[in-house]
Coordinates of all heavy atoms in Angstrom, one line a residue:
C75 N 13.1 16.4 9.3 CA 13.2 17.4 8.2 C 14.4 18.3 8.4 O 14.5 19.0 9.5 CB 12.0 18.2 8.0 SG 12.0 19.3 6.5
A85 N 16.9 10.8 11.7 CA 16.6 11.4 12.9 C 17.4 10.7 14.1 O 17.9 9.6 13.9 CB 15.1 11.3 13.2
C124 N 13.6 11.1 17.6 CA 13.2 12.4 18.1 C 12.6 13.2 16.9 O 13.2 13.5 15.9 CB 14.5 13.2 18.6 SG 15.2 12.4 20.0
V164 N -6.2 20.8 13.8 CA -5.0 21.5 13.7 C -4.4 21.6 15.1 O -5.1 21.5 16.1 CB -5.1 23.0 13.2 CG1 -5.6 23.0 11.7 CG2 -6.1 23.8 14.0
K173 N 1.9 34.3 26.5 CA 2.5 33.5 25.4 C 1.4 33.3 24.3 O 1.0 32.1 24.1 CB 3.1 32.2 25.9 CG 4.2 32.3 26.8 CD 4.7 31.0 27.3 CE 5.7 31.2 28.4 NZ 6.0 29.9 29.1
P190 N -5.3 32.3 15.8 CA -5.1 33.6 15.0 C -6.1 34.6 15.3 O -7.2 34.3 15.8 CB -5.2 33.1 13.6 CG -4.8 31.7 13.6 CD -5.4 31.2 14.9
A211 N 5.8 40.1 2.9 CA 5.6 41.3 3.7 C 6.2 41.2 5.1 O 6.5 42.2 5.7 CB 4.1 41.6 3.8
V244 N 19.0 46.0 14.3 CA 19.5 45.7 13.0 C 19.8 44.2 12.8 O 20.2 43.6 13.8 CB 20.8 46.5 12.7 CG1 21.4 46.2 11.4 CG2 20.5 48.0 12.8
A252 N 24.6 46.6 -1.5 CA 23.7 46.5 -2.7 C 22.3 46.2 -2.4 O 21.5 46.2 -3.3 CB 24.3 45.5 -3.7
D300 N 24.6 55.3 8.2 CA 24.0 56.4 7.4 C 25.0 57.6 7.3 O 25.8 57.8 8.2 CB 22.7 56.9 8.0 CG 21.8 57.8 7.1 OD1 22.1 59.0 7.1 OD2 20.9 57.2 6.4
N365 N 38.9 52.7 -6.7 CA 37.9 53.8 -7.0 C 38.1 55.0 -6.2 O 37.2 55.9 -6.2 CB 36.5 53.2 -6.9 CG 36.1 52.2 -7.9 OD1 36.5 52.3 -9.1 ND2 35.4 51.1 -7.5
D470 N 23.2 76.4 -29.1 CA 23.0 75.0 -29.4 C 22.9 74.2 -28.1 O 23.5 73.2 -27.9 CB 24.2 74.4 -30.2 CG 23.9 73.1 -30.8 OD1 22.7 72.7 -30.9 OD2 24.9 72.4 -31.3
K476 N 25.5 83.7 -18.0 CA 24.6 83.5 -16.9 C 23.5 84.6 -16.9 O 23.7 85.7 -17.2 CB 25.5 83.7 -15.6 CG 24.7 83.4 -14.3 CD 25.6 83.5 -13.1 CE 24.9 83.2 -11.8 NZ 24.4 81.8 -11.8
C520 N 2.8 75.2 -34.1 CA 2.7 74.2 -35.1 C 3.5 73.0 -34.7 O 4.7 73.1 -34.4 CB 3.3 74.8 -36.4 SG 2.4 76.2 -37.1
C522 N 5.2 69.1 -35.4 CA 5.9 68.3 -36.5 C 6.4 67.0 -36.0 O 6.3 66.7 -34.8 CB 7.1 69.1 -37.0 SG 8.3 69.5 -35.8
I547 N 11.5 78.6 -35.3 CA 12.2 79.6 -36.2 C 13.7 79.5 -35.9 O 14.5 79.6 -36.8 CB 11.7 81.0 -35.9 CG1 10.2 81.1 -36.2 CG2 12.4 82.1 -36.7 CD1 9.5 82.4 -35.7
S548 N 14.0 79.4 -34.6 CA 15.4 79.3 -34.2 C 15.5 78.9 -32.8 O 14.5 78.6 -32.1 CB 16.1 80.7 -34.4 OG 17.5 80.6 -34.1

Side-chain angles (χ1 to χ4, degrees):
C75 188
C124 297
V164 294
K173 296 173 186 172
V244 176
D300 192 275
N365 292 319
D470 195 14
K476 187 174 180 66
C520 298
C522 59
I547 302 170
S548 187

